[in-house]
Every structure is written in structure tokens, then in C-alpha cells.
Amino acid sequence: MGSPALLPTLARPTGTEAVRFGQRSLTHRELSALAAGIAGCLPPAKRVAVWAQPVLETCLAVVAALAAGVAAVPVNPQLGARELRHVIRDARPELVLAAPGTALPEELQTVPRLDISLRAPTGMIPPEPDPESPALIVYTSGTTGPPKGVVLPRRALAADIDALAAAWKWTDRDVLVHALPLFHVHGLVLGVLGPLRVGGAVHHLTSFSADGVAERLAAAGTMLFGVPTMYHRLAAAAEQDPSIAAALRQARLLVSGSAALAPSDHQRIAAATGQHVIQRYGMTESLITCAVRCDGPRRPDTVGPPLDGVALRLVDDHGEIIDAGDDETIGEIEVAGPTLFLGYLNRPDATAEVLHDGWLRTGDVATRGPDGDLRLVGRKATDLIKSGGYRIGAGEIEDALLDHPGVAEVAVTGEPDPDLGQRVVAWVVAASSPPPAVEELTRHVATLLAPHKRPRTVRYLPALPRNELGKVRKSELAGFTGDGA
Ligand code: MCA
Ligand code: AMP
């Protein structure tokens, strides 16, 4: 049974290190006093935006908002103008919290700003807010339209971290190393709030590099969290450099998530280091729901059994529950339990599409073995792309490209990529001759959306394959090569 407080270390802080970014760090005691001081300065607000750069101040801002019982909206500082405008208009934050001296873009100029300083006055932690109250609103893509704000209650964060701690024997002696962005669940909830709830420490690398990971693991780390792209790069580095292999070898746990880890990368890391990376599975809306347990078999092809407290079932295309457990019958994963979100902000329609009778339709397709372990097979919607662990909606990129005068028609797909898992590919019917330069189109997308949504490849076609209703047959596109880069 976990603590009723989301971050119990705030009320009973110790003098041990809590958070480290490069050379700068805070102990639990310093973090608690500073967060309490900032929480005391926050005006009564429903939501605050946090300019989520990979810096110590971002952690402090989120912890202060949580201490005050105000929902934090972590904002990717690299968002393009259109996406940022959407997030601000949708979430309507009353304040934006940012590190001192950070220049904020025009879209945020109308939102009052509070600088989060490590020299802030200290204070006392306010009483614990209602566990059902929103803690975070995390924006994530759907197949069409702009990203939706996933409203996560305090109860879900606490339940998920506790279940992961049980699965991985995660304790206050662990030092978690990672380089994940702080505006998604993986980096923020697991990567920062996890160590703070459990009572250990997080060492954040600010940006990912294999050398940086190895240096931190060798210095202090016991666990590493990363996306498969990071493990793909670590596999190559460990094969080349014995010191990187040695650093990975001595970690207690290497955990991969957010997308499928290629079995070949699992094997390469195992061969170079003797360590078997374990996988866990989840989504923003449900948090993490399955994980290979640290004392279970560390196989490459499974995301493990459901976490304690998570109800999980597979359903067929008619919504009938599959109870085969034969490792062969595939079905869509549905999950229920305390880790679920409250709904999409301002989108009861979209919430109703995925939530029914307390169950979340994940859109992920899997089999389940007799041992209860899940094996992911794919996604129902091909219009959701996972690239570098980022969830990207094809529709959003298509809308952005259609706004370019040189584009008459477009379809966006995800193609297999050994490094990124999937690569964003745009199939374009040009409106002009010659067609716009590929760099021009990628730049255009990056001014409107986040940089990872830029197409990596653009292929020009005279026409898109369509069915009799005019819908693009995306499955046929894979067979074309098109012109372009
Ligand atoms: C990228 N670049 C481009 C293009 N795309 N340049 C031109 N045209 C393009 N189309 C540039 C980049 O800006 C970068 O430039 C350089 O190319 C290399 O980019 P990339 O290959 O993407 O590598 P990277 O920048 O090193 O990033 C890889 C990464 C990153 C570190 C693995 O993708 C990442 O942090 N992923 C984590 C995603 C994540 O946390 N997802 C969690 C959500 P330059 O070097 O100049 O910048 S999922 C979740 O939360 C759930 C609950 C779950 O299950 O976990
Ligand atoms: P997001 O909402 O960005 O958190 O993305 C959630 C999606 O990431 C899930 O619906 C899955 O498709 C995918 N995902 C997360 N973890 C894994 C994993 N271990 N293996 C395969 N796919 C994963």
C-alpha cells in the first residue's frame, strides 16, 4: 500500500541527493523547501504551463505545482507556432513557469510568467490535495487533428509508480539515469516523479549520448530508462567501446519503453554486456500497464505481465473478450484500474471514443501467453506513427503540409527504420512544377509543429492511390518508390 501523499519525500525529506542535471543538483530537503516556497507564491490557479526544458528548474516547477495542487502542463520548448498556439488555447494556463533568463516565444507573451529560481524563498509544504485532482496535463497526438491534453490525476501517478517499484524492486537506494524529454510521461512521470516518490535520485543527462549514459551509470547509476532508439545507439556504442559495455553491465536494470525494442538490439546489448534489457508497455492515457519484472525471465519479445492493480484483457474486432492465453490469438488490449487518466481536456467526444465502462481501448494489438506475458503485435491505426519513441499523428502532418502552396495532395505514413523504429514519410502530389524542395517542406512542418514531426523522406507522385470513396489507400503506398529524397 503506497503513501497517500503523491510525493511523500516532500513532507519527510532527507539530506540525500534527489535530482541532478549536469553539475547542478538538489537534495530532497532542498527540493522540498524550494518547492514549498514556490507553491506559496503561486496565485490560486487551475493550471500552469511549465516550459519543460531539460533543466533542474523544470523539475522544481513541476514539483512546486504538484505541492500546490495545481495541474502542470509540461510544454515542449521546441513546439512549432501552430502546435504551441493550440496547446495554450486549449489548456488556458494562468501562468507559465520557466527558468530565469529563458526567452519565451510570442505565443506565450500573453501568459503571466513566474521565474523558477533555485534562490527562491523556502516554505512549508501545503496539505496534500485530493488524489482525484488533476496533476498533469500531457499533450499527445491522435490519428487526426491537433494533440489532445491527457488529464492525469494524482492517484494515477502514485499507483503507477508504486506498481513499477514493486515490479522492479525500485527503492530509495536506486539512482536512475536518463536523458528523456520532460514533457512526456516516460521522462517526467517515470523518470522524475518516480525517483522522487520512491525516495532515490535521478541523474538527467540533458541530452542523450552513449558516452554520457555510460559515464553516469559508471559514476552512480543503478537503473537506465530509455526509448528503443537510445538502446539501438547504445548497442552500437557498446560493441565499439569496452568502457561503455562495462558501464551498462554493472547497472541493476536497463529498461526500454515507448516503442518496441527490436529483438536484434536486445541480443546485441546482451552479447556485448551480458545485460538483458527489459521492456514495459503503456500509453499516456493509462500510464505504464505491463512490465517485465526484475526477478522474472528477461526475454526480448515480451513487455511482461500486467502490473499489480491493472486489469487487462484482449478483445476481438466485435469487442468479445478473448480468453485463449495461447500466445497466438491476437486482440486489442483494453486496460482498467487506478492508473487511468480522467479524460481528454475539453474533449468529452474523444474521451468517450476510447473509454467505455471504465476500460480504455488502447489501439494496440497483442497476444497473451499462458504465463500471462503480453507480446505486442502492432497497432490498429496505421495513422499513428512512433518515431524515436514519439507518438506522431499522420493527420497532423498532412494538415501542415497541405498549408504549403506547393502541395496539392499529401499522405503521411510511417516506414520501418532501424534507428527510429519508424520514420515519417510524406507522399506528395506537387501543386507546382518544379515541386518544392524537400528541405523547404521539412522546414515548413518544423515551423508549425515539433521538430520530430518533420518528414524524414518526401516522395513525389503524380497522384495518390485512392478508393472509390476518395480515401487514400495508404497500404498501397509502400509499393511505390516515387521521386524525391
Ligand atoms: C530530425 N532532424 C532532421 C529531421 N528530423 N533534420 C532535417 N530533417 C528532418 N526531417 C535532425 C534533428 O533535429 C537532430 O538535429 C538530428 O536530425 C538528429 O535527429 P534524431 O535522429 O531525431 O535524433 P536525436 O535528436 O538524437 O533524437 C533521438 C532521441 C529522441 C534522443 C531518441 O527521439 C528522443 O528523445 N525520444 C524520446 C521520446 C519520448 O520520450 N517518448 C515518450 C513518449 P540536431 O542534432 O541539430 O538537434 S511515450 C510515453 O511517454 C509512454 C507512456 C511510454 O510508453 O513511455
Ligand atoms: P504515448 O501515448 O506517446 O505514450 O504512446 C503510447 C504507445 O506507445 C502505445 O499505445 C504503444 O503503441 C507504444 N508503446 C509503448 N511502450 C511500448 C513497448 N514496450 N513496445 C511497443 N510499443 C510500445
Side-chain angles (χ1 to χ4, degrees):
M1 175 67 190
S3 165
L6 173 56
L7 299 176
T9 49
L10 291 183
R12 293 188 309 279
T14 62
T16 58
E17 189 180 64
V19 192
R20 169 172 290 274
F21 280 76
Q23 297 305 312
R24 299 195 308 154
S25 70
L26 291 174
T27 64
H28 285 280
R29 195 165 290 136
E30 289 165 337
L31 181 67
S32 170
L34 285 168
I38 295 165
C41 297
L42 290 180
K46 223 168 154 186
R47 291 190 274 276
V48 294
V50 175
W51 194 244
Q53 293 170 295
V55 293
L56 198 51
E57 285 82 356
T58 299
C59 298
L60 180 53
V62 171
V63 172
L66 291 173
V70 177
V73 186
V75 177
N76 175 356
Q78 290 194 308
L79 287 189
R82 174 182 295 181
E83 204 169 344
L84 182 56
R85 259 197 311 274
H86 163 72
V87 169
I88 299 305
R89 213 178 288 152
D90 191 53
R92 283 179 281 116
E94 284 132 289
L95 210 57
V96 54
L97 313 185
T102 311
L104 296 180
E106 202 186 308
E107 288 74 16
L108 273 164
Q109 298 302 333
T110 54
V111 184
R113 168 179 182 152
L114 180 70
D115 274 346
I116 298 299
S117 165
L118 301 188
R119 285 194 288 273
T122 58
M124 294 287 286
I125 292 292
E128 182 67 17
D130 180 350
E132 287 303 313
S133 60
L136 296 174
I137 298 170
V138 179
Y139 277 81
T140 189
S141 295
T143 49
T144 57
K148 298 187 284 283
V150 176
V151 185
L152 293 164
R154 303 172 76 89
R155 164 262 298 161
L157 308 187
D160 208 50
I161 294 166
D162 289 349
L164 287 173
W168 296 337
K169 300 192 193 314
W170 183 358
T171 72
D172 59 4
R173 291 184 301 283
D174 278 304
V175 175
L176 171 64
V177 171
H178 76 90
L180 293 155
L182 299 182
F183 43 83
H184 280 307
V185 161
H186 196 168
L188 184 59
V189 176
L190 276 62
V192 172
L193 302 180
L196 297 184
R197 179 167 173 83
V198 170
V202 51
H203 288 193
H204 194 280
L205 299 173
T206 308
S207 67
F208 174 79
S209 73
D211 289 339
V213 167
E215 184 274 320
R216 268 300 89 202
L217 281 177
T222 63
M223 299 199 292
L224 174 69
F225 289 177
V227 294
T229 300
M230 295 173 180
Y231 285 105
H232 180 73
R233 296 178 187 180
L234 281 167
E239 285 166 350
Q240 295 295 319
D241 184 341
S243 70
I244 292 181
L248 292 173
R249 184 176 306 123
Q250 53 90 58
R252 189 173 75 76
L253 219 50
L254 306 178
V255 186
S256 173
S258 304
L261 178 71
S264 54
D265 287 332
H266 177 107
Q267 302 295 11
R268 287 172 72 194
I269 292 178
T273 71
Q275 275 274 15
H276 290 266
V277 178
I278 64 169
Q279 294 200 75
R280 91 301 179 282
Y281 156 79
M283 58 194 297
T284 308
E285 291 85 339
S286 65
L287 302 181
I288 306 311
T289 50
C290 293
V292 172
R293 302 184 78 92
C294 69
D295 49 10
R298 300 187 181 185
R299 289 194 302 266
D301 60 341
T302 171
V303 293
L307 291 175
D308 297 348
V310 169
L312 185 146
R313 64 192 189 190
L314 298 183
V315 298
D316 68 16
D317 286 345
H318 310 289
E320 297 294 327
I321 298 167
I322 298 168
D323 53 12
D326 57 6
D327 232 345
E328 276 176 18
T329 316
I330 63 170
E332 180 180 357
I333 301 174
E334 292 194 342
V335 288
T339 66
L340 254 51
F341 73 143
L342 294 172
Y344 297 113
L345 187 67
N346 306 323
R347 293 294 307 275
D349 55 328
T351 307
E353 272 177 33
V354 296
L355 268 185
H356 65 109
D357 308 322
W359 290 89
L360 174 76
R361 297 188 177 102
T362 64
D364 290 307
V365 177
T367 65
R368 194 170 187 176
D371 50 5
D373 284 358
L374 273 288
R375 284 171 186 75
L376 290 177
V377 175
R379 283 197 62 83
K380 280 186 107 173
T382 49
D383 277 348
L384 270 189
I385 300 164
K386 267 274 164 158
S387 190
Y390 285 114
R391 176 161 136 189
I392 300 173
E396 205 185 345
I397 307 176
E398 288 163 359
D399 290 346
L401 283 167
L402 280 173
D403 280 353
H404 190 282
V407 175
E409 295 176 48
V410 64
V412 166
T413 59
E415 281 187 4
D417 184 283
D419 181 44
L420 297 166
Q422 283 185 299
R423 162 175 81 240
V424 175
V425 177
W427 303 82
V428 174
V429 178
S432 55
S433 180
V438 169
E439 300 70 39
E440 160 69 17
L441 291 186
T442 54
R443 210 173 24 246
H444 169 77
V445 172
T447 59
L448 299 178
L449 309 174
H452 58 264
K453 296 183 177 174
R454 282 174 291 183
R456 303 270 167 163
T457 307
V458 176
R459 298 207 181 101
Y460 291 103
L461 294 174
L464 295 175
R466 293 182 184 273
N467 66 15
E468 46 295 342
L469 298 172
K471 199 169 162 358
V472 179
R473 291 185 206 267
K474 290 197 176 179
S475 57
E476 286 183 19
L477 284 169
F480 292 109
T481 47
D483 301 321

